[in-house]
Amino acid sequence: MITDAAIDRWLREDVGHHDVTNQVPGETTGRLVAKEAGVAAGLEAATAVFEYLDVDVLDALADGTAIEPGDELLRVAGPARDVLRGERVAVNLAGHAGGIATRTRAAVDAAREESDSVRIAGTRKTTPGLRGLEKRAVVAGGGDTHRLDLSHMVLVKDNHIAELGLEDAIAHFRDRVSFATALEVEVETVAQAPRAADAGADVLLLDNMTPAETRDAVEALAEFDVLTEASGGISIAAVPAYAATGVDIISMGSLTHSAPALDLSFRTGD
Amino acid sequence: MITDAAIDRWLREDVGHHDVTNQVPGETTGRLVAKEAGVAAGLEAATAVFEYLDVDVLDALADGTAIEPGDELLRVAGPARDVLRGERVAVNLAGHAGGIATRTRAAVDAAREESDSVRIAGTRKTTPGLRGLEKRAVVAGGGDTHRLDLSHMVLVKDNHIAELGLEDAIAHFRDRVSFATALEVEVETVAQAPRAADAGADVLLLDNMTPAETRDAVEALAEFDVLTEASGGISIAAVPAYAATGVDIISMGSLTHSAPALDLSFRTGD
Amino acid sequence: MITDAAIDRWLREDVGHHDVTNQVPGETTGRLVAKEAGVAAGLEAATAVFEYLDVDVLDALADGTAIEPGDELLRVAGPARDVLRGERVAVNLAGHAGGIATRTRAAVDAAREESDSVRIAGTRKTTPGLRGLEKRAVVAGGGDTHRLDLSHMVLVKDNHIAELGLEDAIAHFRDRVSFATALEVEVETVAQAPRAADAGADVLLLDNMTPAETRDAVEALAEFDVLTEASGGISIAAVPAYAATGVDIISMGSLTHSAPALDLSFRTGD
Amino acid sequence: MITDAAIDRWLREDVGHHDVTNQVPGETTGRLVAKEAGVAAGLEAATAVFEYLDVDVLDALADGTAIEPGDELLRVAGPARDVLRGERVAVNLAGHAGGIATRTRAAVDAAREESDSVRIAGTRKTTPGLRGLEKRAVVAGGGDTHRLDLSHMVLVKDNHIAELGLEDAIAHFRDRVSFATALEVEVETVAQAPRAADAGADVLLLDNMTPAETRDAVEALAEFDVLTEASGGISIAAVPAYAATGVDIISMGSLTHSAPALDLSFRTGD
Amino acid sequence: MITDAAIDRWLREDVGHHDVTNQVPGETTGRLVAKEAGVAAGLEAATAVFEYLDVDVLDALADGTAIEPGDELLRVAGPARDVLRGERVAVNLAGHAGGIATRTRAAVDAAREESDSVRIAGTRKTTPGLRGLEKRAVVAGGGDTHRLDLSHMVLVKDNHIAELGLEDAIAHFRDRVSFATALEVEVETVAQAPRAADAGADVLLLDNMTPAETRDAVEALAEFDVLTEASGGISIAAVPAYAATGVDIISMGSLTHSAPALDLSFRTGD
Amino acid sequence: MITDAAIDRWLREDVGHHDVTNQVPGETTGRLVAKEAGVAAGLEAATAVFEYLDVDVLDALADGTAIEPGDELLRVAGPARDVLRGERVAVNLAGHAGGIATRTRAAVDAAREESDSVRIAGTRKTTPGLRGLEKRAVVAGGGDTHRLDLSHMVLVKDNHIAELGLEDAIAHFRDRVSFATALEVEVETVAQAPRAADAGADVLLLDNMTPAETRDAVEALAEFDVLTEASGGISIAAVPAYAATGVDIISMGSLTHSAPALDLSFRTGD
């Protein structure tokens, strides 16, 4: 959810101490319009910004809706001053989130060329301050949030394994986390994968493996009731090859940290 | 500047209520290393995150430094728990800001093919919550911040002109702003440009014009002591053509809203 | 983690606008001492309070340590004014968390009479503002945090089932959550339990069942790879009876909302 | 008063980055219902939580109302998503505050067995972040808030007396506080009490005295226009014996730090 | 703009943990009335305070309106409790801002005795936390905000000049700031003024000069397209003498840091 | 106490998103120097600002010290960037608080012409956000804080009396407040004063009375153990006449809302 405290900060950041160009009397309307095709997201956040300013939100697409150029995403009406104050923050939020949703959809579509079930997931490589917005944008694009924060799912990493050994590291953390918390283990070789599954991992992170290695690891895990995740600099172009390996999840930091904004414009008064 | 309150929020957002994987005893070191070439930025912010956690920052590149793959951007030492807690937020900040600086540098380099003096500037299309970080990243890449917030410089826009008329709109705002505040006017036709300059604009925003139109507008303003800014969906590929028009400033929202993150990794314990 | 922003609020709340009794010159020491037996918790938080005030924390027990009357939990040294300012907040945190840890340990001990493996877990019935502190106190007492927030694990509740039907409700949420998120289903009859397991639940919440019903449900689930949780007003006296049913988890809201504080005193200057 | 900033924090703490179970369309109603007898409190806070979420509060008992099992404390109507989001925080607040009010009422009732006028008071041993809520809950139970923070009333303690001597310590602080601020002095022996009263104390804190000692101190102070307060680990069982001594105030940290929550449930949709 | 977060802090600061005198049932009205002549300001802020409390603001003068004793500045209606809670903060804001606007108007009037065009400007000598309110109050009084913060306009000061030399310091900063940012240079002698103008200053700060020196500096700058600002302990009595020098701007820290409050009273229930 | 959160806000407010003039390498020193005589205050706050920025505070006068022109109030050393960043906020705090302390001292001195014991007190007419700073400045000037917030002391006002009657209003609130809270009653006629005292007031607020009326009221209260406070637009010139009436307290809103700032300058590098 978007809190009032966040909206406070965002508006103050954009408006500054004394703006005069928004000191406009009267009422106006505004429309958020797509200038390119993509997937809508961030509209709950944009709605919250306008409602914070007591601007009425008359209509809004649901996050996740596919859009074409010219489509109207959001329509508002209220005092001109407040519509104008909220405009830039609302567009920045919806453009940023829409870009993430659009890129996620593209990755999902690429995956579907080879697999009906593989999930495209985000990572913790999000923009500080916008974790929730970006995770929800991934979902709007058809993706999977992956873990929301460090407390959501344990990830046993190479440094833990280096220190404690594979089996002991897994036992160490299994012993320390809730039953509500899944446990994922990062493996760097195909050989490590079944050992980790045997030691109790719920999910195997197949890190920086080629599609061929990934396929080998997936096969080596056939008998285990575990999920498998391919990760490590996977581009959208590479998604089909990974999707074809039978892996369950393909995670991509670029969904959130490198998606270009969706091109939107805000038009007032018509 | 990065405030403690922001760092509080960013760490809490990433860590959640109870993380166990960072509960590691002892001291460690960490290095932030480039995996691709680009321009360093956001290192003051990353430094602030580690210092908030009482981790020592032993060395850091200056923001704006050109980097090659393998270069070390930041080196820290401290309690393992705190180094690990700060890692993800620090990398996310430096990757995000570094991506902006790198893209800005590319745009500046493209401009230099045709002009020694044209400035590449950002816009207000920044990520909510990170205005300052992103503006400073533009500077690190050799760009110009453009206005920092609505209160920094007045921009007389088409809706103001539609309501009041060009000359009256300019007079209206000139009368309402400080001597410390520059006044820019958005013009949509070449013919409007000298009228706006004559009416007292400090800067002319030549919005959505082709390079040819931009050149015409620049020439029509030759006798005026004004600056000219080209804006409106200008890609890096289009920068040289605009730079060749003699315009003073080329502004690009994509510097901040669509720059892919700079690829960085954080390595502990070596 | 305890943020500076929280400590700011807590100290300001206790000190008010102008206190004179803490305006004491010079340096002093302070010791947090147990007046009754129990389990230490909240000492990381108490440490953070003193460090925020630039008081040195010379020694502190690890959260989870069993303590006897007279044991010293924390020792500090610094300016008298700052030691005195931090005292009340630190004692309130450690007393509150210690009470939760102590009650959790008592519930775990009661469970161990009948089962070596059943987990004692908290709930979301925590004190607003102190979720993390209280969850970590449950862990300090040997318990399981259960889900940390609504986003951590999905709980399909009676109202969802009433609206969508059992199987469809499970499918509905399974489709909407990350692979990283476990899915628990609340069942009210023994008959519902295997249906929910068959439909894909990871955990079954056996709500408000008697120990006999709980045992029946556990047996009905013997063939499924699911966890079972008994919940609903279970007192410490009732823990052994539930532990004997073979259930995996016993959750108790009273661990966090009804634990009496651990009796601690803070002694300065000796 | 409950600020929006606090409600922001409480909701964010409970909801996390992305919850799906509350994504329920349509409108619903909700009722907060007592499962045990006690005293209602915290309903202003619960109301504020729902109103923050734009849920209508149709009816609410006044804080301080005696309740029986099955009584409805609060009734709300609004979007199902928002009712569900507010539910847990509202119940946690009302359960926590109701527990304090109920325990306070029990202590007051115990006191009334022996005295018509003795006051039952809280202390500063409150839960960090909830001072105001808990003090108002003590009032709802028929108790006295005692001092609200360090700035509200001066308490001259043993360490001040050890350093400056009894009379000089009192003069020292009397000289430094406002006429609006009462001055209480902690005494440890019956003999100190009249000396402190003579030196200008408004209230005498009879710390850790037996009922017999308390009675002696009260009698020794008969000629002075001062109030007397008994304090130090007094249980509800011990209240009548202290009430019979003629002391004016009996203060009990356990009212706020050790009251079990009042058992409440929130029922939606009926 | 006034954020909810600021209003939160202001109300909590004034109300404290538990106030009883505002616990008044029923509805009431309130009127903010002038007890002396002056200029209204801060009424947007006062309005925001009441609206935060869900009190209706029925009528409010525009900031900048000249008022006479007995004039009504603001009229509200709502629950008595909330009207009373907001009263003190609203009066303090409007009295403080009104005092600044009134003093600014007096300085403007004094300047008009000798010049039709000279601007009276504030400085950065504002009350921490109220920069925006005070700058807008200066505007309400007919003054100029001057720079809003350090990022708004560069001021090259004596210490920069001492270190780098006059021309190099100007070049240094011109190179580092946006085209959107004006550059002012502080000069201490008449001789420095044309050098600074020649080196590219937009504005010359004539610091601590007598009116005669100021006139000399203005004349020495006649050929340059620069603005001139007189500053340094200028009282309202001294304004006409400076206004007569032909300087463009007279800035006065006393507008914000030393204006007595405008005398206002808040009357309820009539 | 000054919290980090407040300092965060004050610095961000003054610095903005990107300041370049403070980007100065190396270390420097700074001295806060008086340009006029007065009373030092706000130096704890100024110290906190510099310490937040990790600037060393080498020496600072105690709040309340009488100062002469040229006296050094505070001396700091640290990175030039951070010294410069903190300078303006620190000067604004110390100038504002010093002005209040100086005016309070003048009022106290005026009172001493006629009375050795009358107290000069502030009111709740403080600057929003700075209640604590201003109250402590009143104390630094030799004054009395008066009540710190609405919860500190009850003030029964004319509207309460109009509604409930004098005696009943007093009984109403006495019944609702803690023993720790004094109760003051506002009276508008001499005749009301003994009635209010008889009904249990601790303090009588003699509102808007002339000195002669005040003296009559004081005499009418001779037999009661109450304090008397004169209030209502009392100027420093009028203080001696009120002091001569025998009243216990003279309260003046102008101490905090209308005190001109103390003239201070901050000098770096020498």
Side-chain angles (χ1 to χ4, degrees):
Chain A
M1 55 184 297
I2 302 293
T3 65
D4 284 2
I7 297 172
D8 256 0
R9 286 192 298 271
W10 297 337
L11 290 172
R12 196 178 49 199
E13 173 188 80
D14 185 51
V15 171
H17 292 307
H18 178 60
D19 82 289
V20 299
T21 46
N22 288 347
Q23 304 286 3
V24 176
E27 301 279 313
T28 194
T29 57
R31 297 186 306 126
L32 184 64
V33 178
K35 297 172 70 176
E36 64 177 338
V39 178
L43 298 179
E44 284 201 31
T47 294
V49 169
F50 283 118
E51 291 185 341
Y52 177 90
L53 290 162
D54 289 326
V55 170
D56 288 328
V57 176
L58 306 173
D59 208 6
L61 292 186
D63 285 352
T65 306
I67 53 175
E68 294 300 321
D71 283 2
E72 180 184 299
L73 284 74
L74 192 78
R75 194 152 42 85
V76 303
R81 185 189 71 166
D82 298 314
V83 171
L84 293 170
R85 271 189 182 162
E87 165 187 353
R88 176 51 41 213
V89 172
V91 175
N92 287 351
L93 289 168
H96 182 71
I100 290 169
T102 301
R103 191 185 185 94
T104 303
R105 184 69 52 95
V108 170
D109 290 346
R112 290 295 162 266
E113 297 172 16
E114 297 290 342
S115 162
D116 287 346
S117 62
V118 66
R119 292 174 172 231
I120 298 297
T123 65
R124 275 170 55 234
K125 295 178 179 177
T126 59
T127 312
L130 298 178
R131 176 68 55 88
L133 180 90
E134 297 187 349
K135 290 291 190 182
R136 291 190 294 272
V138 167
V139 171
D144 183 305
T145 60
H146 208 293
R147 62 175 173 165
L148 297 165
D149 57 32
L150 283 171
S151 303
H152 186 198
M153 177 173 68
V154 160
L155 180 53
V156 182
K157 303 191 74 168
D158 52 359
N159 57 329
H160 299 125
I161 295 169
E163 193 182 344
L164 298 171
L166 179 65
E167 283 77 6
D168 284 359
I170 293 170
H172 174 90
F173 288 114
R174 183 57 87 197
D175 196 47
R176 278 164 179 73
V177 299
S178 174
F179 72 92
T181 306
L183 188 149
E184 181 167 22
V185 179
E186 181 180 304
V187 293
E188 294 179 321
T189 65
V190 172
Q192 276 183 317
R195 281 178 54 202
D198 204 43
D202 296 311
V203 191
L204 276 294
L205 177 67
L206 310 173
D207 198 30
N208 289 316
M209 291 190 185
T210 63
E213 292 167 329
T214 303
R215 184 184 303 269
D216 289 349
V218 169
E219 285 171 4
L221 291 161
E223 67 184 295
F224 294 97
D225 181 20
V226 293
L227 295 172
T228 52
E229 172 185 353
S231 187
I234 299 174
S235 64
I236 290 182
V239 162
Y242 281 94
T245 62
V247 79
D248 298 300
I249 301 131
I250 300 171
S251 64
M252 304 165 70
S254 63
L255 297 185
T256 49
H257 67 53
S258 295
L262 187 64
D263 197 3
L264 304 174
S265 75
F266 192 83
R267 299 176 188 161
T268 54
D270 52 16
Chain B
M1 57 183 298
I2 301 293
T3 64
D4 284 2
I7 298 172
D8 257 359
R9 286 193 298 273
W10 297 336
L11 290 172
R12 195 179 50 200
E13 173 187 79
D14 186 51
V15 171
H17 292 308
H18 178 58
D19 82 289
V20 299
T21 46
N22 288 347
Q23 304 285 4
V24 176
E27 302 278 313
T28 194
T29 57
R31 298 185 307 125
L32 183 64
V33 178
K35 295 172 71 175
E36 63 178 338
V39 177
L43 298 180
E44 284 200 33
T47 295
V49 169
F50 282 119
E51 291 184 343
Y52 176 90
L53 290 162
D54 290 325
V55 169
D56 289 328
V57 176
L58 305 174
D59 208 6
L61 292 187
D63 284 352
T65 306
I67 53 174
E68 294 299 322
D71 283 1
E72 180 184 300
L73 284 74
L74 192 78
R75 194 152 42 85
V76 304
R81 186 189 70 168
D82 298 314
V83 170
L84 293 170
R85 272 189 179 161
E87 165 187 353
R88 176 49 43 212
V89 172
V91 174
N92 287 352
L93 289 167
H96 182 71
I100 290 169
T102 300
R103 190 183 184 95
T104 302
R105 184 68 53 92
V108 170
D109 289 346
R112 290 294 164 268
E113 296 172 15
E114 297 290 341
S115 162
D116 286 348
S117 63
V118 65
R119 291 173 173 233
I120 298 296
T123 66
R124 275 170 55 236
K125 296 178 179 176
T126 58
T127 312
L130 297 179
R131 175 68 55 87
L133 181 90
E134 297 187 350
K135 289 291 190 182
R136 292 190 295 272
V138 167
V139 171
D144 183 305
T145 59
H146 208 294
R147 63 175 173 164
L148 297 166
D149 56 32
L150 283 171
S151 303
H152 186 198
M153 178 172 69
V154 160
L155 181 53
V156 182
K157 302 192 73 168
D158 51 358
N159 57 329
H160 300 124
I161 294 170
E163 193 182 345
L164 298 172
L166 179 66
E167 283 78 5
D168 283 0
I170 294 171
H172 174 89
F173 287 114
R174 182 58 88 196
D175 196 48
R176 277 164 179 73
V177 299
S178 174
F179 72 92
T181 307
L183 188 149
E184 181 168 22
V185 179
E186 181 180 304
V187 294
E188 294 180 322
T189 66
V190 172
Q192 275 183 320
R195 280 178 55 202
D198 204 42
D202 296 312
V203 190
L204 275 296
L205 178 66
L206 310 173
D207 198 30
N208 289 316
M209 291 189 184
T210 63
E213 291 167 330
T214 302
R215 184 184 302 270
D216 289 348
V218 169
E219 284 171 4
L221 291 162
E223 67 184 296
F224 294 96
D225 182 21
V226 295
L227 294 174
T228 51
E229 173 185 352
S231 187
I234 300 174
S235 65
I236 289 182
V239 161
Y242 281 94
T245 63
V247 78
D248 298 301
I249 301 131
I250 299 170
S251 64
M252 304 166 71
S254 62
L255 298 185
T256 48
H257 67 53
S258 294
L262 187 64
D263 197 3
L264 304 174
S265 75
F266 192 83
R267 298 176 187 163
T268 53
D270 52 16
Chain C
M1 57 183 299
I2 301 294
T3 64
D4 284 2
I7 298 172
D8 257 359
R9 285 192 299 273
W10 297 336
L11 289 173
R12 195 178 48 200
E13 173 186 80
D14 186 50
V15 170
H17 292 308
H18 178 61
D19 83 289
V20 298
T21 46
N22 288 345
Q23 304 286 4
V24 176
E27 301 279 312
T28 194
T29 57
R31 298 186 305 127
L32 183 64
V33 178
K35 296 171 71 176
E36 63 178 338
V39 177
L43 298 180
E44 285 200 32
T47 295
V49 169
F50 283 118
E51 291 183 343
Y52 177 90
L53 291 162
D54 290 325
V55 169
D56 289 328
V57 176
L58 306 174
D59 207 6
L61 291 188
D63 284 352
T65 306
I67 52 175
E68 293 299 322
D71 282 2
E72 180 183 299
L73 284 75
L74 192 78
R75 194 153 41 88
V76 303
R81 185 190 72 167
D82 298 314
V83 171
L84 292 170
R85 272 189 181 162
E87 165 187 353
R88 174 52 43 213
V89 172
V91 174
N92 287 351
L93 290 167
H96 182 71
I100 291 169
T102 300
R103 189 184 185 95
T104 303
R105 184 68 53 93
V108 171
D109 289 346
R112 290 296 163 266
E113 296 172 15
E114 297 289 342
S115 163
D116 286 346
S117 62
V118 65
R119 292 174 173 233
I120 298 297
T123 67
R124 276 172 54 236
K125 296 179 179 176
T126 59
T127 312
L130 297 179
R131 176 70 53 90
L133 180 89
E134 297 187 349
K135 289 291 191 181
R136 292 190 294 272
V138 167
V139 171
D144 183 306
T145 59
H146 208 293
R147 62 175 174 164
L148 297 165
D149 55 33
L150 282 171
S151 302
H152 186 198
M153 177 172 69
V154 161
L155 180 54
V156 182
K157 302 190 74 168
D158 51 359
N159 57 329
H160 300 125
I161 294 170
E163 192 182 347
L164 298 170
L166 178 65
E167 283 77 6
D168 284 359
I170 293 171
H172 173 90
F173 287 114
R174 182 57 88 196
D175 197 46
R176 278 163 178 73
V177 298
S178 174
F179 72 92
T181 307
L183 189 147
E184 181 167 21
V185 179
E186 181 180 304
V187 294
E188 294 180 323
T189 64
V190 172
Q192 276 183 317
R195 282 178 54 201
D198 203 42
D202 296 311
V203 190
L204 276 295
L205 178 66
L206 311 172
D207 199 31
N208 289 316
M209 293 189 184
T210 62
E213 291 167 329
T214 303
R215 183 184 303 269
D216 288 348
V218 169
E219 284 171 5
L221 291 162
E223 66 184 298
F224 294 97
D225 182 21
V226 295
L227 295 173
T228 51
E229 173 187 352
S231 189
I234 300 174
S235 64
I236 291 183
V239 162
Y242 282 93
T245 64
V247 78
D248 298 300
I249 302 130
I250 299 169
S251 64
M252 303 165 71
S254 63
L255 297 184
T256 49
H257 67 52
S258 295
L262 187 65
D263 197 3
L264 304 174
S265 74
F266 192 82
R267 298 176 187 163
T268 53
D270 52 16
Chain D
M1 56 184 299
I2 301 293
T3 65
D4 284 3
I7 297 172
D8 257 1
R9 287 193 298 271
W10 297 336
L11 289 172
R12 196 178 49 200
E13 174 187 78
D14 185 52
V15 171
H17 293 306
H18 178 60
D19 83 289
V20 299
T21 46
N22 289 347
Q23 305 286 3
V24 176
E27 301 278 314
T28 194
T29 57
R31 299 186 306 125
L32 183 64
V33 178
K35 296 172 71 177
E36 63 177 338
V39 178
L43 297 180
E44 285 200 30
T47 294
V49 168
F50 282 117
E51 292 184 341
Y52 176 91
L53 290 162
D54 289 325
V55 169
D56 289 327
V57 176
L58 306 174
D59 208 7
L61 291 187
D63 284 352
T65 307
I67 53 175
E68 293 300 321
D71 283 0
E72 180 184 299
L73 285 73
L74 192 78
R75 193 153 42 88
V76 304
R81 185 190 72 168
D82 298 313
V83 170
L84 292 170
R85 271 190 181 161
E87 165 187 352
R88 176 52 41 216
V89 172
V91 174
N92 287 352
L93 289 167
H96 182 70
I100 291 170
T102 301
R103 190 184 185 95
T104 303
R105 184 68 53 94
V108 170
D109 289 347
R112 290 294 164 268
E113 298 171 13
E114 296 290 340
S115 162
D116 286 347
S117 62
V118 65
R119 292 173 172 231
I120 298 295
T123 66
R124 275 170 55 234
K125 295 179 179 176
T126 60
T127 312
L130 297 178
R131 174 70 54 89
L133 180 89
E134 297 187 349
K135 289 291 190 182
R136 291 190 295 272
V138 167
V139 171
D144 183 305
T145 60
H146 208 293
R147 62 175 174 165
L148 296 165
D149 56 32
L150 283 171
S151 303
H152 186 198
M153 177 172 71
V154 161
L155 180 54
V156 182
K157 301 190 75 166
D158 52 358
N159 56 330
H160 299 125
I161 294 170
E163 193 182 344
L164 297 171
L166 178 65
E167 282 78 5
D168 284 358
I170 293 170
H172 174 90
F173 287 114
R174 182 57 87 196
D175 196 47
R176 276 162 179 74
V177 298
S178 173
F179 73 91
T181 308
L183 189 148
E184 181 168 21
V185 179
E186 180 180 303
V187 294
E188 294 179 322
T189 64
V190 172
Q192 276 183 317
R195 280 179 54 203
D198 203 42
D202 295 311
V203 190
L204 275 296
L205 177 67
L206 310 173
D207 198 30
N208 289 315
M209 291 188 185
T210 62
E213 291 167 330
T214 303
R215 183 184 302 270
D216 289 348
V218 169
E219 284 170 5
L221 290 162
E223 66 185 296
F224 294 97
D225 181 21
V226 293
L227 295 172
T228 51
E229 172 185 353
S231 188
I234 299 175
S235 64
I236 291 182
V239 161
Y242 282 93
T245 63
V247 78
D248 298 299
I249 302 129
I250 298 170
S251 64
M252 303 164 72
S254 63
L255 298 184
T256 49
H257 68 54
S258 295
L262 187 64
D263 197 3
L264 304 174
S265 75
F266 192 84
R267 297 175 188 165
T268 53
D270 52 15
Chain E
M1 57 183 299
I2 301 294
T3 64
D4 285 2
I7 298 172
D8 257 359
R9 287 192 298 272
W10 298 336
L11 289 172
R12 194 179 50 200
E13 173 188 80
D14 186 51
V15 171
H17 292 307
H18 177 59
D19 83 289
V20 298
T21 46
N22 289 346
Q23 305 286 4
V24 176
E27 300 278 313
T28 194
T29 57
R31 298 185 306 126
L32 184 63
V33 178
K35 297 171 70 175
E36 63 178 337
V39 177
L43 298 180
E44 285 201 31
T47 294
V49 169
F50 282 118
E51 291 184 342
Y52 177 90
L53 290 162
D54 290 325
V55 170
D56 289 328
V57 176
L58 306 174
D59 207 7
L61 292 186
D63 284 352
T65 307
I67 53 174
E68 295 299 321
D71 283 2
E72 180 183 300
L73 285 74
L74 191 79
R75 194 151 43 87
V76 303
R81 185 190 72 168
D82 297 314
V83 171
L84 293 171
R85 271 190 181 161
E87 164 186 353
R88 174 54 40 214
V89 171
V91 174
N92 287 352
L93 289 167
H96 183 70
I100 290 170
T102 300
R103 189 183 186 96
T104 303
R105 184 69 52 93
V108 171
D109 289 346
R112 289 296 163 266
E113 296 172 16
E114 297 289 340
S115 162
D116 285 348
S117 63
V118 65
R119 290 174 173 233
I120 298 296
T123 66
R124 275 171 55 238
K125 295 179 178 176
T126 59
T127 311
L130 297 178
R131 176 69 55 89
L133 180 90
E134 296 187 349
K135 289 291 190 182
R136 292 190 295 272
V138 167
V139 171
D144 184 304
T145 59
H146 208 295
R147 61 176 174 164
L148 296 165
D149 57 31
L150 283 171
S151 302
H152 186 198
M153 178 172 69
V154 160
L155 179 54
V156 182
K157 302 191 74 167
D158 51 358
N159 58 328
H160 300 125
I161 295 170
E163 193 182 344
L164 297 172
L166 178 64
E167 283 77 6
D168 284 359
I170 293 171
H172 174 90
F173 286 114
R174 182 57 87 197
D175 197 46
R176 277 165 179 73
V177 298
S178 173
F179 73 91
T181 307
L183 189 148
E184 180 167 21
V185 180
E186 181 180 304
V187 294
E188 293 179 322
T189 65
V190 173
Q192 276 183 318
R195 282 179 54 201
D198 203 42
D202 296 311
V203 190
L204 274 296
L205 178 67
L206 311 173
D207 198 31
N208 288 316
M209 291 189 185
T210 62
E213 292 167 330
T214 302
R215 183 183 302 269
D216 288 349
V218 169
E219 285 171 5
L221 291 163
E223 68 184 294
F224 293 96
D225 182 21
V226 293
L227 295 172
T228 51
E229 172 185 352
S231 187
I234 300 175
S235 64
I236 290 183
V239 162
Y242 281 94
T245 63
V247 78
D248 297 301
I249 301 130
I250 299 170
S251 65
M252 303 165 72
S254 62
L255 298 184
T256 49
H257 67 52
S258 294
L262 187 64
D263 197 3
L264 305 173
S265 74
F266 192 83
R267 298 174 188 164
T268 53
D270 52 16
Chain F
M1 56 183 299
I2 301 294
T3 64
D4 283 3
I7 297 173
D8 257 0
R9 287 192 299 270
W10 297 337
L11 290 172
R12 196 178 49 200
E13 173 187 80
D14 186 51
V15 171
H17 291 308
H18 178 59
D19 82 289
V20 299
T21 46
N22 288 347
Q23 303 286 4
V24 176
E27 301 278 314
T28 193
T29 56
R31 298 185 306 124
L32 182 65
V33 177
K35 295 172 72 176
E36 63 178 338
V39 177
L43 299 179
E44 284 200 33
T47 294
V49 169
F50 283 118
E51 291 183 343
Y52 177 90
L53 291 162
D54 289 326
V55 169
D56 289 328
V57 176
L58 306 174
D59 207 6
L61 291 187
D63 284 353
T65 306
I67 53 175
E68 294 300 322
D71 283 1
E72 181 183 299
L73 284 75
L74 193 77
R75 194 152 42 87
V76 304
R81 185 189 72 167
D82 297 314
V83 171
L84 292 170
R85 270 188 181 163
E87 165 188 353
R88 174 52 42 213
V89 172
V91 174
N92 286 352
L93 289 168
H96 182 70
I100 290 169
T102 300
R103 190 183 185 95
T104 303
R105 183 69 54 92
V108 170
D109 289 346
R112 290 296 164 266
E113 295 173 16
E114 297 290 340
S115 163
D116 286 347
S117 62
V118 66
R119 290 174 172 232
I120 298 296
T123 67
R124 274 170 57 234
K125 296 179 178 176
T126 58
T127 312
L130 297 179
R131 174 70 54 89
L133 181 90
E134 297 187 349
K135 289 291 190 182
R136 292 190 294 272
V138 166
V139 171
D144 183 306
T145 60
H146 207 292
R147 61 176 174 164
L148 296 165
D149 56 32
L150 283 171
S151 303
H152 186 197
M153 177 172 69
V154 160
L155 179 54
V156 182
K157 301 191 74 168
D158 51 0
N159 57 329
H160 300 124
I161 294 170
E163 193 182 345
L164 298 171
L166 179 65
E167 282 78 5
D168 283 359
I170 293 171
H172 174 90
F173 287 114
R174 182 57 87 195
D175 196 46
R176 278 163 178 72
V177 298
S178 174
F179 73 91
T181 306
L183 189 148
E184 181 168 21
V185 179
E186 182 181 303
V187 294
E188 294 179 323
T189 64
V190 172
Q192 275 183 318
R195 281 178 55 203
D198 203 41
D202 296 312
V203 190
L204 276 295
L205 178 66
L206 310 173
D207 199 30
N208 289 316
M209 291 189 185
T210 62
E213 291 167 331
T214 303
R215 183 184 302 269
D216 288 349
V218 169
E219 284 172 5
L221 292 161
E223 67 185 295
F224 293 96
D225 181 21
V226 293
L227 294 173
T228 52
E229 173 186 352
S231 188
I234 300 175
S235 65
I236 290 183
V239 161
Y242 282 93
T245 64
V247 79
D248 298 301
I249 301 131
I250 299 171
S251 64
M252 303 166 71
S254 62
L255 297 185
T256 49
H257 68 52
S258 294
L262 187 64
D263 196 3
L264 304 174
S265 74
F266 192 83
R267 299 177 187 162
T268 52
D270 51 16

